[in-house]
Each structure stands twice: as structure tokens, then as C-alpha cells.
Amino acid sequence: MSKFDYDGPILEIDKLSISFFTRLREIPAVMDFSVTVQPGEAVGLVGESGCGKSTVALGVMQDLGKNGRVVGGSIKFKGRDLAEMSAEELRDVRGNEIAMIYQEPMASLNPAMKIGRQLIEVPIIHEGISEKEAQQRALQVVTDVKLPDPARILNSYPHQLSGGQQQRIVIAMALMSKPALLILDEPTTALDVTVEAAIVELVRDLGKKYGTSMLFISHNLGLVLETCDRICVMYSGEAVERGSIEDVFDEMQHPYTQALFRSIPLPGADKNARPLVAIPGNFPLPHERPNGCNFGPRCDYFEAGRCDQSEIAMVNVAGNDRHATRCLKHAEIDWNAPITLGEQKEKGEIGKVVLKMDNLKKYYEVSANALFGGSNKKVVKANETLSFEARESETLAIVGESGCGKSTFAKVLMGLETATDGEILLDNQSIGNTPIADRETKTVADVQMVFQNPFDTLNPSMTVGRQIIRALEIFKIGNSEAERRERMLELLDLVKLPRAFADRMPRQLSGGQKQRVGIARAFSGGARIVVADEPVSALDVSVQAAVTDLLMEIQRNEKTTLLFISHDLSIVRYLSDRVMVMYLGHVVELGTTEQVFSPPYHPYTEALLSAVPIADTSIEKKHIVLEGDIPSAMNPPSGCPFQTRCGWKSQVPGGLCEKEVPPVRILEDNHQVKCHLSDEKLAKMEPVIKIAAE
């Protein structure tokens, strides 16, 4: 049978159970899991980390390692049980008929081998075709994944490509043998939102072109909405709801699905009037799952004596044969009942200017050929003439893709780097040229940072309490060890961690708990300004809501100025008062959240907004995919930094965009845009995000 002669389901997982065996016990990772993928269909697998999504994918690839085993149920590919195949048959199916794309592109690429060589290996080994034919196919797939100058790319090594380009190569590699099933495991997590949008569109188009079926693993509901036909929601090793995108998004029938949607910032959420609702409690560990429903202890509708009695099976939702839920009470719950609002918060009064940046520049000098000590020097212009003010109790969001200079500016503010030119004033005192070692203790305590990855910022060999007390010692807070210990316990209360955590080691904490310790430490010296660098991007959706809410609450109480660095515009829209959009070291737009999220936009802001996946079926978005990659800061384009990727450039006469850096224009109410477009053109811009009429 040729690989295209099959018309039943491509993948049929039936009552699958997978366990991992340790010396002490069997740990059930996946239980009673069923999902079907039809030909040409894309199914999204959604859930928090640790719910078993990737274990299912590894089960399909028959790659569970030494201590993982399928202990129940079956996985059929085109009607054949994978468990019954010989090693040789499996080898033939893997990579040839089932291909997998991982989260980290470099995990799939050989750093010492040219791209072209890596691509042609696949069909030569699996299909025995000639090298010439394989090369033609490689050229074709690299063109299909929309990479510029395919011949040059085939002749490059992986390190010569950007992250987005590497991921496209991995997709091209997966497509080389025209697989029937493509498994994508969080393929865009490490990428910028604009690159992610392009990759997602690419995957969707290629699925149609090649007729490939897809299993798309993600924790981002918006992404699943944009790429998939059907969705399966997982919680703690089990499927809890399955159905078409419309069924699950608009007529959800499981309390966990509902809780997930309430914890993500959809348009209309507001940090004061309509705060996000975090899911209470914590995810159960595999050996500590409760009796009955796994979600029971965290569920609003839990009924003792009923939900905690016996295993709960998946049941079909009445009137819909392909929509199923694992909830005993789904027919009794009023799913349209208005959400019980979290307590409404008073908006903190925005006070006087605390931080002022005036024409800040930060250049780095690098030798053009650093490896071989070449004498040519090149300048990397990481920040170009940054000017803005931030006030007490205000949240100023700084958005842009990687390489736009967000983190460089944060380093200069923190004193880890010094400014090349311009000034940073903290309470009217200049600090831009004072490195951190020379700053007064109070200044160091006043400007603190919460980092993206909570795992990297805590000392693994020191208890949580000791790490916070250490910060209090450095900031000279408290006159005795007893006073500092009391203050440390108060800080744990502030970030809503049990006081008993003071004696725990970081490894005993979850990601969200570690991030809370990081926040407690940042606020230990009574910080005036906290720079939060992507503080929730490494956390699960439900934990993000709790950590975001916590930051807001502390800010209200402490009157802190929060500089929130992020590329997630949904969270930015939810929590910021003002937004600064950066591109290649320049501030291209600056205004209140309302101004930045509604037209007129800078063309780059417009593209950023269009790229954000929104988990709401009633939203219509203008579709803009940016061409090409971000230019290098070592070799920026002439004129406007964005002109090489701008869709509006043709609307500006006389090639002005290529010749001159645009001046900063002040539109109404101090809304700043750095663009050559005329006032008439800006006035005619349409909104990117519209709520569709019912």
C-alpha cells in the first residue's frame, strides 16, 4: 500500500495509558486518553505543563525511553497498531510517514553540517531517491517555507540563521518526505510574535498544500484557534474535553476549560474593573492525584460525595456526537451564568514623575572580526535617542521583538551597563553613567528587576528565606537578624506564599512559586521602580494570571512604578497604563494603552497587533504578515529602521523612508509616532482587531 492510499483516520489513540516506572513506584503520566485525527485535519492538544501532552506525542513516536511504557489502550496509525510493528517497520514509519517538530529548533539540527546536506539525507535514506532529485526537493521545500535566497540557505550552517529561520528549516526537514502526520510540540514558544505569526500561517498553508494531518501541541489557546480544526483539552494526564474549535471555545462543557479561558487576558479584560480570575490551588503531582475527578479540588462546581467517588469517564455532549467532556455535572451547570467577578480594584492614583530618560543612547563597539582580532571596529546601536517619563504607580509597557533594545535599556537603567549618551534621572538625580558598583545602596534598592526565568535567578543551595534575608542585609534593612526575619516573613505574606516556605529549597517550588520569591526579593528594599523583564512568559497560563494579579496588587499598595518588558500584547493591553513600542533601538510609538491599541498606528505596531493570537472566535483581525527578518543592529538599514519590512512604504512619495529617519510626530494628547506617513494616511487607518457583529 502506498502511503497515500488510506482513507480511514490517520491517527487513532484509544484509551491510552502511559506510565513511567521508577525504583519506588509506577507514575501514571497519561490515563484513558483518546483522540482521533482524520486525513487533512489539524487537532490541537492543549493544557498546562505536566499534563501529559508531550508524553502523548512521544507515545505516538514510540520513543518513551527506558522507563516509559504503554500500560493500556492502543495507538493506531492508518489502522495499524504501532506497538505491534517491528523495529524496522517503526524506523520506516518515523521520519517518513510521521514527522515531529520540537520546541527548540537546534535540538533537531546538526551544528556541524550544512543545511542542504541535512535536508537531502531524509528522502535518500527513507525513499532511496537519487541525490540530484533530493536536492531539487530540498530547494522546493526551502522555497515553500518562504526562506529568502534558498540556494544560499542550503549552503549555510545552522548557526548562520536566526531562530525563526532555523525553525522553518526544521519544518522543511519534516516535509521532505511528505509525511501523512506531522506532530508539532510547541513549535513557536521560543520565537517572536511576528515570526510566530508567519510560522503559524506557513504550517496552515503547508498542511493544505501537502494534505498533511497535524497534531499541534500548545498551551496557547489563541494559536490553536488559528491553526486547528479540532481541540482536545488535557488536565493532569487525562483528556477533559474534546470537540471542534467552535464547540469548545463557544460552548465549553468542562469547568477546567472554563477556568483556563477566565485566566487569559482577552480583549475587554481590565485590571481594575474586570480582573482575570486565577485558578485556585495547584496542579496535582502524578502520585498525589485526588479520588474521582482530578480537577475536583480546584473546581467551582465540586460536589463532595459525588465528584470524588469513582473514575469519571468521557461522555458525549447531548446533540453533538464529536463533542465530549469528562464532567459528571456538565448538563446541570449554567455555562452562560455571568462570571463571578474578582473583587474590583481601585485604580492607583498616578503620581509625580519618578524616572526620566532624555535622549538615551547605548552603542556597543565590536570588532568586525572578533574571532581573529580584525582591527575594523563596528558599532552596534542598541538604543537610539530614547526619551520618556514614568510616574509613580504607573505601568509602562515596553514592547518589541528580540533585538529591539528592550533589555539593553533595562541593563543601563539597572547600572549593569552605562549610557553612551543622554541622561537617566531618578528623582531628578542622574544615574545613567553610574555603574551599579558605584551606586548608593538606596539607589540599588530603588531600582530592582524581576527576570524572565525564575529558575536562573535563585541560588539553588540556599533556602528561600535566607535569599530574601540576604537582600535585606545588602539593602541595610532591619537592625537585627530577628527584625530581618520578621520582614522576610511579611514579604512572603505579600507575595501570598505560606510562611513555611521560608525553610524550603528552590527545587521544592514550582515555577510560579519561584517567580513569587523573585518578586518578594525585588520588593524587599521598598523598590520605587521595578523592571519586569517578561516575568510571566515562562509560566503556565493559569499561573500567569495569579502572578500578574500579584504584581498589580503590590504596585497598588507600594505605589511602585512598573516597567513591564514583554512581547505578549494581550497581557500588555490588560495591565499597562502606557505603552512604548521599540524597533531596532528606536522608539517608534509611545502613548496610552488606548492610543496604541487603536488607530492611527505606527506600521510596525499595526503588524505586531495583527500577529497576536487571540483565543476568541468573535474576533476578526486584519491579516498582516511581515516579510523578511529583523535587520542586524550592526548593519541597520538607511532611513527609517522599519522600511525594509513596511507595507505602507509605497504610500510615502520620493523614497523618503529610505533616506531619512522619520521625526517624532506628536499626534493628539501627546501620542508619539515616528513615521513619514501623512496625517491623512494615518487618519484613514482601520482598526486591526474588531469584535465581529453577532
Side-chain angles (χ1 to χ4, degrees), residues 332-399:
E332 302 157 35
I333 294 170
D334 177 2
W335 296 101
N336 297 319
I339 181 168
T340 323
L341 275 181
E343 61 183 287
Q344 296 205 349
K345 308 291 194 326
E346 276 303 302
K347 184 164 169 41
E349 197 55 47
I350 290 181
K352 61 181 196 327
V353 172
V354 179
L355 178 73
K356 187 170 185 216
M357 286 216 175
D358 198 16
N359 284 330
L360 176 82
K361 290 185 182 178
K362 177 62 188 169
Y363 293 173
Y364 292 99
E365 211 175 65
V366 290
S367 54
N369 196 339
L371 264 181
F372 306 106
S375 56
N376 299 356
K377 292 278 189 213
K378 276 203 170 183
V379 171
V380 177
K381 298 180 175 182
N383 287 153
E384 276 284 15
T385 57
L386 243 81
S387 298
F388 69 88
E389 293 175 344
R391 295 172 177 78
E392 188 174 86
S393 288
E394 179 178 54
T395 303
L396 171 68
I398 298 147
V399 285

Side-chain angles (χ1 to χ4, degrees), residues 487 491 494 518-527 530 551 554 558 560:
R487 174 72 184 134
L491 283 161
L494 179 74
I519 293 170
R521 201 171 51 180
F523 281 95
S524 59
V530 169
L551 271 173
I554 297 176
E558 309 269 325
T560 319

Side-chain angles (χ1 to χ4, degrees), residues 608-624:
L608 271 184
L609 288 172
S610 146
V612 177
I614 300 173
D616 187 338
T617 53
S618 66
I619 292 284
E620 284 179 7
K621 278 196 318 187
K622 196 166 163 188
H623 188 61
I624 305 161

Side-chain angles (χ1 to χ4, degrees), residues 86-202:
S86 67
E88 203 166 309
E89 286 175 306
L90 266 178
R91 202 164 45 238
D92 204 38
V93 166
R94 273 196 218 124
N96 184 19
E97 295 205 53
I98 305 178
M100 186 153 170
I101 295 170
Y102 296 90
Q103 186 169 346
E104 178 43 64
M106 278 311 287
S108 313
L109 296 173
N110 180 340
M113 196 190 249
K114 286 188 175 171
I115 300 290
R117 196 71 242 155
Q118 298 190 50
L119 286 173
I120 66 172
E121 269 189 345
V122 182
I124 289 176
I125 290 169
H126 281 294
E127 298 172 46
I129 65 174
S130 70
E131 188 156 328
K132 189 172 180 205
E133 203 179 327
Q135 275 170 340
Q136 280 169 339
R137 198 186 292 178
L139 200 59
Q140 179 59 47
V141 291
V142 172
T143 312
D144 279 349
V145 296
K146 299 194 170 65
L147 279 165
D149 195 354
R152 179 183 66 79
I153 295 254
L154 289 174
N155 203 30
S156 306
Y157 287 98
H159 71 267
Q160 293 170 311
L161 309 183
S162 70
Q165 289 176 333
Q166 287 172 357
Q167 195 58 292
R168 283 165 191 247
I169 287 298
V170 172
I171 293 171
M173 198 183 276
L175 293 169
M176 276 300 282
S177 56
K178 305 196 170 93
L181 176 67
L182 192 54
I183 301 174
L184 301 105
D185 190 357
E186 304 261 12
T188 58
T189 311
L191 304 176
D192 272 316
V193 59
T194 49
V195 181
E196 174 179 88
I199 297 269
V200 164
E201 185 184 49
L202 173 73

Side-chain angles (χ1 to χ4, degrees), residues 253-324:
Q253 296 285 316
H254 195 281
Y256 175 60
T257 314
Q258 185 183 51
L260 263 187
F261 274 92
R262 286 178 175 177
S263 64
I264 56 178
L266 295 172
D270 175 301
K271 65 180 173 185
N272 299 308
R274 279 208 33 221
L276 301 180
V277 182
I279 305 177
N282 284 318
F283 201 74
L285 291 167
H287 54 281
E288 293 172 357
R289 290 191 178 111
N291 291 330
C293 175
N294 281 343
F295 188 58
R298 306 175 73 189
C299 177
D300 291 345
Y301 310 102
F302 178 75
E303 191 180 316
R306 183 176 169 196
C307 298
D308 53 5
Q309 286 309 296
S310 56
E311 294 295 316
I312 295 168
M314 282 294 262
V315 289
N316 284 336
V317 174
N320 192 332
D321 63 335
R322 290 191 76 194
H323 187 185

Side-chain angles (χ1 to χ4, degrees), residues 564-582:
F564 193 86
I565 298 177
S566 181
H567 66 256
D568 181 344
L569 286 167
S570 309
I571 283 189
V572 164
R573 181 178 205 155
Y574 170 68
L575 60 79
S576 61
D577 301 304
R578 286 193 306 139
V579 181
M580 177 163 107
V581 183
M582 289 184 71

Side-chain angles (χ1 to χ4, degrees), residues 197-263:
I199 297 269
V200 164
E201 185 184 49
L202 173 73
V203 166
R204 219 175 30 220
D205 292 350
L206 293 172
K208 289 195 183 82
K209 176 175 176 180
Y210 287 93
T212 311
S213 304
M214 290 191 272
L215 188 61
F216 193 97
I217 297 174
S218 179
H219 62 259
N220 184 330
L221 289 158
L223 218 51
V224 168
L225 168 72
E226 295 192 357
T227 43
C228 299
D229 309 301
R230 296 176 55 72
I231 180 173
C232 173
V233 182
M234 280 187 87
Y235 180 78
S236 188
E238 296 177 324
V240 292
E241 186 165 8
R242 269 198 315 266
S244 70
I245 293 287
E246 288 72 20
D247 286 343
V248 176
F249 277 56
D250 300 340
E251 294 174 34
M252 56 191 71
Q253 296 285 316
H254 195 281
Y256 175 60
T257 314
Q258 185 183 51
L260 263 187
F261 274 92
R262 286 178 175 177
S263 64

